[in-house]
Structures are given as C-alpha cells and as structure tokens.
C-alpha cells in the first residue's frame, strides 16, 4: 500500500498536475539548447528571440516550482497527520491490538516513514512523470538516439535489485535495535536517581551505551549497504546512460545521421532518463528500509466506539463464581468467589504479589477469565466485556495525570457545569489547591507540581465527574503517609450512592473501620 493513498484525492491530483508542469521545464531547456546550438552552427537565426523566450519560460516555470513545493509539503503534512492520528486512535481505542505502538514507533518509526517512504513515493511519482514526458519528447525528435540513451539508462536497475533484499533485512534489524534503545532510554531516565543513590551510575551508563552502540552499529550497516547500492547505481548510470550513448551519438553526427543540435538536445534530455532513473532506484531503496515500520502501521485496525449504554442496566451487584485467571500460562487467581452489592464499601486485602491488580483488571474487562463466571446484575459479563468498563471509575496507586490544567485532568476535555464542578471539588477536597492555584494551573509531567495527596484527589474528582456506579481504588494510598492516607479514605468513603472496592495489602485500623466489609483474598482460594 502506498502512503499517498491516505492523502486527500484533490491534493494528490493537484500535486500530479504541478509535477507535470514542473517536468516540462526540462523539455523546455532541452529545446532552448537545440535552438542555441542550431544558431551557433548557422542552422537558425534570431538569438534575441531565443533569449527572451527562455527568460520568460524560466520565470513561468519558477512560479509553478514554488506551487509544487507548497503542495508537496501539504501532501506530507496530510499523510503524516493521517498516520499519526490512526496510530493514536488505535493506541487509545484498541490497546489490545496496538502492542507495537510504543514511544519508538510514534517518534522514530513514523519519522523514518515520513523521510524514507512518503517523500520517496512523491519523488518516484515526479520522476516517473519527468521520465515519461522526456521520453515522448525525445522520441518525437530522434527515435534512434532516444532508444540508445533509454536502453542504457535501465542497466543500473540490475544493481539496485541485487541490493534490495539485503537492505530490507538490515532495516528490520535496525528497527528492532532502535525500539530496544528507546526503551533503554526511558528506563535509564527512570533509574538514574536510584543508580546515583547506590553508586551504580557507571553500570547503568554502560548498559545505556551498549544499547546505543547496538542501535548505531545496526544503523551504520544499513547506511553502508544503502550507500554501496546508491554509489554502484550512480557509477553504472553515468557509464551506461551518458558516456556510451553520447559516444554513439557523436558517431551519428559525424555521419550526418542527426544534427549536433538534436544530439545536444537528446543528451540534455538524457538527464531526464538518467537522473529520474537513479532517483527512482534511490527512492526504492529508501522505501525498503521502512518496510517493517510500514507493515506494523498497516496492521493497525482501529475500531472506535462512543457507546455509553450500560449493557445490563443500572448496577445492582457483581459476582465472581469459582473464577480462574491466567497470564502468560501462569495461574494468578484460582477458584475465587466474591459477591458485592450496590452501595457497599468493600476492602479487599492480600499480601503483595497475590494478584490484586490482576483481579481489578478482570473486573474492568481488561483481562479475561480462564474459567468460572463473572456476573454483573446476574448477567454474564464476559459477553459484554468491551462495555462493562462503563460501570467503573478507577483511582490508581500511581495517578494517571497529564501535563495540563487541573480542570482538564478532572474532565479529560469534556464539558462540566459550574455547579457540578463546585460540588466535585468540595467532595474530593480540592478546594484549597484550586483557591491557591486556580483550575487552569498546569500540574507538570506526571503531576510533579502537586503533592501525592493532591494527585489522588484529582483522581477522586475525575471518578466523581464521570459518575460511574463503582469506584475501584488500587492501592490508592500505599505511597502516602498515614495522615494523607486517612484524608484520602475520608474523601473516598464519604462519597454517597457509590459502590467502593479498594484493594490494599496494608491499611490502618481506623481506615478499615470505614468499610462495610473486609475480605482477605488469600484466605478465599
């Protein structure tokens, strides 16, 4: 699939039209060369007219060259936005099929697609148009010379084909190394403070440097292979597409089979055989380097849904019956049974490593059950797995925050009335923060400008805004001190009309008293 198919058809048509006009510039110059040579050899007159005509023509083509560059850039913009939008849609709406849509793909891979595929496809289209027009014009003036130059110009393609498959394989290796390098960069950033604490900075630096070297070495091999191919093609092109045909043309001029002006014109036009041919071969090599990235993109299947229909109506209770859950062939949850009613505040306790987060993801429909029954309102939740998240809000151990305003982090860009906002702010305990900073305060990356308690309050406010029947808290206060933990639990358990399900491995006795039931999960299975 060509990337240009993604662009708007009207933009593509305008680009092709301008590419045709632009390609006529070479024909015009070749014709002017013929006129000048004929004038020099006494076969024509009117030098002033030739100069005026060429000057006017060059300004005319300059105008269309400028328009071509603008539309060329516009096409790249349209295609890039379509690709990035599709990748982001898949990441947000279909994360189960977007496993390869990581930071490396959205930055490095897509940039490679832009440079080496999109731009190359546009160059190929332009060069094919230029080659075709030059061929027609040359055949009209001298079929014999044109056939000689044309036949010789395709010989370099043999070299390009020999290098094609190795370039593809080398590109796949580079893409893998580059993806690994990107992950190492993120890990290095996250571990840097710990490495400094334990005097292990040199080891972490060595690990980073090793990944960087593997990536750069892979890129070096790819660039060398591509460079060897391009240089070989270029050498063959000049030898077979210019020197040999020109020598044959000189013999034809000497025998008076063609005029010198015609030879010079065809020789000038031969650049429109040779250069486009070389450029096409270069572009094909560039496109081959993007094959693994482009294949990854074309496999992204985006299915968007704005359905807000609760599959089983208003929430009345959920039940797990003898549920088993596996991850990667490892048994995580074995024969678990639970029953939680509407409006209950339930604390699920288990030691670290039991699988509490896995349990919550199972309730949300993210992880399927291997065996047993998951019922919502008495109905089989597995049959509506893609929609059961509509019953839940979630407060995470590490709050999910954007480098944006407090308001945007609460609503995620949705509309909210002043009355609703005031009520949510009051219940979640954000009054003081908003009085000090305001709703439009930018909280920084991962909320670094906020305290731990303020981050959790924003998650509580978000849960209240989206007004789901069940609020899940996943170790929501484990990173907070006792005072803040108590404050967050006060805010959470005082929410009226909601079912609260919290999982934790450690919590104070006072906080435990705020729940209707405490279930020790490790004693159930």
């Amino acid at each position: 699939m060509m990337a240009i198919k993604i662009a708007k058809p009207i933009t593509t048509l305008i680009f092709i039209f301008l590419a045709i006009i632009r390609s006529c510039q070479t024909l015009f110059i070749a014709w002017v060369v013929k006129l000048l040579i004929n004038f020099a050899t006494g076969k024509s007159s009117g030098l002033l007219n030739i100069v005026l005509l060429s000057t006017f023509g060059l300004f005319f083509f300059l105008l269309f060259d400028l328009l071509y560059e603008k539309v060329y850039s516009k096409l790249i913009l349209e295609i890039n936005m379509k690709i990035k939008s599709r990748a982001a849609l898949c990441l947000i709406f279909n994360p189960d099929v977007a496993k390869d849509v990581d930071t490396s793909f959205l930055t490095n891979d897509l940039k490679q697609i832009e440079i080496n595929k999109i731009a190359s496809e546009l160059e190929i289209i332009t060069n094919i148009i230029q080659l075709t027009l030059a061929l027609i014009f040359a055949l009209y003036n001298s079929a014999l010379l044109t056939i000689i130059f044309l036949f010789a110009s395709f010989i370099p393609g043999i070299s390009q084909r020999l290098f094609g498959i190795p370039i593809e394989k080398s590109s796949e290796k580079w893409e893998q190394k580059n993806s690994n390098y990107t992950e190492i960069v993120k890990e290095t950033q996250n571990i840097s403070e710990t490495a400094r604490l334990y005097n292990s900075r040199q080891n972490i630096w060595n690990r980073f440097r090793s990944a960087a070297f593997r990536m750069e070495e892979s890129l070096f091999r790819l660039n060398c292979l591509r460079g060897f191919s391009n240089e070989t093609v270029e050498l063959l092109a000049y030898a077979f597409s210019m020197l040999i045909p020109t020598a044959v043309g000189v013999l034809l001029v000497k025998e008076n089979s063609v005029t010198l002006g015609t030879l010079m014109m065809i020789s000038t036009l031969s650049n429109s055989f040779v250069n486009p041919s070389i450029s096409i071969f270069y572009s094909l090599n560039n496109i081959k380097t993007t094959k693994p990235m482009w294949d990854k993109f074309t496999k992204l299947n985006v299915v968007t849904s704005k359905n807000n229909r609760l599959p089983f109506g208003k929430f009345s209770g959920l039940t797990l019956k003898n549920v088993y859950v596996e991850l990667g062939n490892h048994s995580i949850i074995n024969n678990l049974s639970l029953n939680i009613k509407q409006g209950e505040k339930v604390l699920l306790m288990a030691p670290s490593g039991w699988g509490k987060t896995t349990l919550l993801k199972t309730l949300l429909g993210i992880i399927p059950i291997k065996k047993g029954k998951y019922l919502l309102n008495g109905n089989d939740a597995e049959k509506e797995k893609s929609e059961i998240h509509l019953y839940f809000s979630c407060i995470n151990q590490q709050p999910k925050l954007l480098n944006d305003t407090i308001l945007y982090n609460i609503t995620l860009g949705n509309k909210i009335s002043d009355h609703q906002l005031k009520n949510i702010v009051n219940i979640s305990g954000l009054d003081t923060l908003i009085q000090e900073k305001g709703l439009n305060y930018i909280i920084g990356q991962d909320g670094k400008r906020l305290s731990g308690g303020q981050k959790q309050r924003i998650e509580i406010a978000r849960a209240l805004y989206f007004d789901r029947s069940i609020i899940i808290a996943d170790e929501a206060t484990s990173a907070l001190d006792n005072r803040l933990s108590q404050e967050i639990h006060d805010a959470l358990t005082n929410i009226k009309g909601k079912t609260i399900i919290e999982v934790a491995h450690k919590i104070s006795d006072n906080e435990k008293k705020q729940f209707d039931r405490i279930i020790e999960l490790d004693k159930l299975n």
Side-chain angles (χ1 to χ4, degrees):
M1 174 184 171
M2 293 182 67
I4 196 172
K5 290 184 178 180
I6 300 175
K8 294 178 183 176
I10 185 64
T11 311
T12 303
L13 288 174
I14 294 172
F15 171 78
I16 293 173
F17 170 75
L18 292 173
I20 292 172
I21 300 297
R22 186 173 185 262
S23 297
C24 288
Q25 181 176 351
T26 304
L27 312 186
F28 176 76
I29 292 172
W31 180 58
V32 169
V33 168
K34 179 180 179 180
L35 293 178
L36 290 171
I37 296 297
N38 286 341
F39 175 81
T41 56
K43 298 196 185 256
S44 67
S45 59
L47 179 61
L48 180 60
N49 289 335
I50 296 174
V51 172
L52 290 175
L53 177 64
S54 60
T55 302
F56 173 79
L58 290 175
F59 275 107
F60 172 80
F61 284 113
L62 174 61
L63 174 63
F64 278 93
D65 283 347
L66 296 175
L67 290 173
Y68 169 88
E69 291 297 333
K70 182 175 181 179
V71 175
Y72 173 89
S73 300
K74 173 80 172 188
L75 260 179
I76 290 180
L77 170 65
E78 286 184 6
I79 297 170
N80 278 341
M81 284 306 302
K82 287 286 183 68
I83 291 174
K84 286 181 171 65
S85 296
R86 180 172 169 181
L89 278 172
C90 194
L91 179 66
I92 295 168
F93 284 89
N94 312 113
D96 54 324
V97 297
K99 297 180 178 65
D100 293 327
V101 182
D102 54 12
T103 304
S104 176
F105 178 79
L106 288 169
T107 53
N108 299 329
D109 288 7
L110 293 190
K111 179 54 67 175
Q112 288 298 315
I113 288 174
E114 174 190 339
I115 296 171
N116 291 328
K117 182 173 176 66
I118 301 172
S120 294
E121 286 184 5
L122 298 182
E123 290 296 329
I124 287 174
I125 291 171
T126 300
N127 285 312
I128 288 175
I129 291 172
Q130 184 177 338
L131 178 61
T132 303
L133 292 177
L135 178 60
I136 294 171
F137 190 64
L139 284 170
Y140 174 77
N141 283 274
S142 175
L144 179 59
L145 278 176
T146 301
I147 291 171
I148 294 171
F149 274 93
L150 180 65
F151 176 76
S153 69
F154 284 104
I155 292 177
I158 299 172
S159 170
Q160 192 274 334
R161 291 182 64 85
L162 292 175
F163 280 96
I165 295 176
I167 287 175
E168 279 189 23
K169 291 182 178 178
S170 183
S171 175
E172 290 176 1
K173 291 180 181 178
W174 175 79
E175 194 273 338
Q176 293 170 359
K177 299 295 184 185
N178 186 52
S179 180
N180 179 67
Y181 168 73
T182 304
E183 291 304 314
I184 294 292
V185 169
K186 291 191 293 184
E187 290 177 355
T188 302
Q189 183 179 12
N190 291 336
I191 203 70
S192 60
E193 289 187 9
T194 303
R196 192 177 302 115
L197 174 66
Y198 293 114
N199 289 334
S200 299
R201 288 174 289 187
Q202 184 68 37
N203 294 335
I204 298 301
W205 181 81
N206 288 338
R207 182 174 183 268
F208 168 83
R209 187 176 180 276
S210 177
F213 177 77
R214 289 193 297 269
M215 186 271 289
E216 292 295 342
E217 184 182 39
S218 179
L219 180 59
F220 165 76
R221 291 174 180 172
L222 174 60
N223 287 337
C224 281
L225 193 57
R226 184 165 51 185
F228 293 160
S229 174
N230 292 344
E231 290 298 327
T232 304
V233 169
E234 187 172 352
L235 179 63
L236 292 175
Y238 284 123
F240 287 93
S241 304
M242 292 186 67
L243 297 178
I244 295 174
T246 301
V248 175
V250 169
L251 288 175
L252 294 175
V253 171
K254 192 172 182 179
E255 294 175 359
N256 294 319
S257 297
V258 295
T259 65
L260 181 60
T262 300
L263 173 60
M264 294 303 294
M265 182 184 71
I266 300 299
S267 180
T268 302
L269 283 173
S270 71
N271 291 327
S272 294
F273 305 155
V274 178
N275 293 337
S277 299
I278 294 174
S279 182
I280 288 170
F281 295 141
Y282 285 175
S283 297
L284 289 173
N285 282 341
N286 288 338
I287 290 172
K288 288 180 184 296
T289 66
T290 67
K291 187 177 184 301
M293 301 93 159
W294 186 250
D295 287 346
K296 192 184 294 185
F297 168 73
T298 55
K299 290 177 183 176
L300 297 180
N301 183 29
V302 182
V303 180
T304 60
S305 173
K306 294 184 178 179
N307 179 32
N308 287 317
R309 177 190 63 84
L310 292 172
F312 308 118
K314 188 176 180 181
F315 175 70
S316 60
L318 68 82
T319 301
L320 297 181
K321 289 185 176 181
N322 308 116
V323 164
Y324 292 77
V325 178
E326 291 183 358
L327 288 177
N329 296 323
H330 294 289
S331 181
I332 305 298
I333 297 174
N334 298 294
N335 197 29
L336 177 65
S337 295
L338 282 176
N339 184 41
I340 298 174
K341 299 177 182 178
Q342 192 278 330
E344 276 194 301
K345 295 176 175 57
V346 180
L347 175 62
L348 305 178
M349 297 197 69
S352 296
W354 182 88
K356 299 185 292 298
T357 298
T358 299
L359 171 60
L360 295 186
K361 287 184 176 180
T362 301
L363 295 179
L364 290 167
I366 298 172
I367 298 177
I369 63 173
K370 182 72 174 178
K371 184 180 175 183
K373 284 288 186 181
Y374 173 20
L375 304 176
L376 268 171
N377 297 350
N379 298 290
D380 188 354
E382 290 289 302
K383 292 182 179 179
E384 296 284 353
K385 189 170 62 175
S386 63
E387 304 298 336
I388 60 176
H389 67 277
L390 296 172
Y391 288 98
F392 296 90
S393 293
C394 193
I395 301 168
N396 300 283
Q397 180 179 5
Q398 296 295 329
K400 309 297 184 182
L401 300 173
L402 300 167
N403 184 15
D404 213 304
T405 65
I406 294 174
L407 179 61
Y408 192 94
N409 274 280
I410 293 173
T411 66
L412 298 182
N414 294 284
K415 295 181 180 179
I416 187 171
S417 68
D418 291 340
H419 174 74
Q420 184 185 12
L421 179 60
K422 183 178 180 180
N423 188 48
I424 287 172
V425 167
N426 179 258
I427 296 174
S428 60
L430 283 172
D431 308 74
T432 303
L433 174 63
I434 291 174
Q435 287 172 6
E436 293 177 356
K437 305 293 186 180
L439 286 165
N440 293 321
Y441 178 68
I442 304 294
I443 66 173
Q445 187 176 14
D446 295 325
K448 65 181 180 182
R449 297 178 181 172
L450 302 178
S451 68
Q454 290 169 335
K455 295 177 187 179
Q456 292 292 17
R457 291 183 188 281
I458 287 179
E459 285 232 324
I460 292 173
R462 184 189 297 158
L464 290 170
Y465 169 75
F466 285 97
D467 196 26
R468 300 292 174 76
S469 300
I470 307 165
I471 297 177
I472 283 178
D474 183 8
E475 302 275 11
T477 63
S478 61
L480 305 179
D481 60 36
N482 292 336
R483 182 183 62 81
L484 281 176
S485 179
Q486 183 65 60
E487 289 179 3
I488 295 300
H489 276 106
D490 288 342
L492 185 61
T493 56
N494 285 331
I495 298 173
K496 299 184 190 289
K498 302 294 180 185
T499 302
I500 309 295
I501 302 175
E502 179 173 355
V503 296
H505 71 277
K506 185 178 180 181
I507 194 171
S508 71
D509 291 338
N510 286 334
E511 290 166 309
K512 288 179 182 178
K513 294 176 182 178
Q514 295 176 281
F515 291 89
D516 298 324
R517 280 196 294 152
I518 299 174
I519 300 174
E520 297 185 38
L521 294 170
D522 56 324
K523 296 181 180 179
L524 295 182
N525 57 8

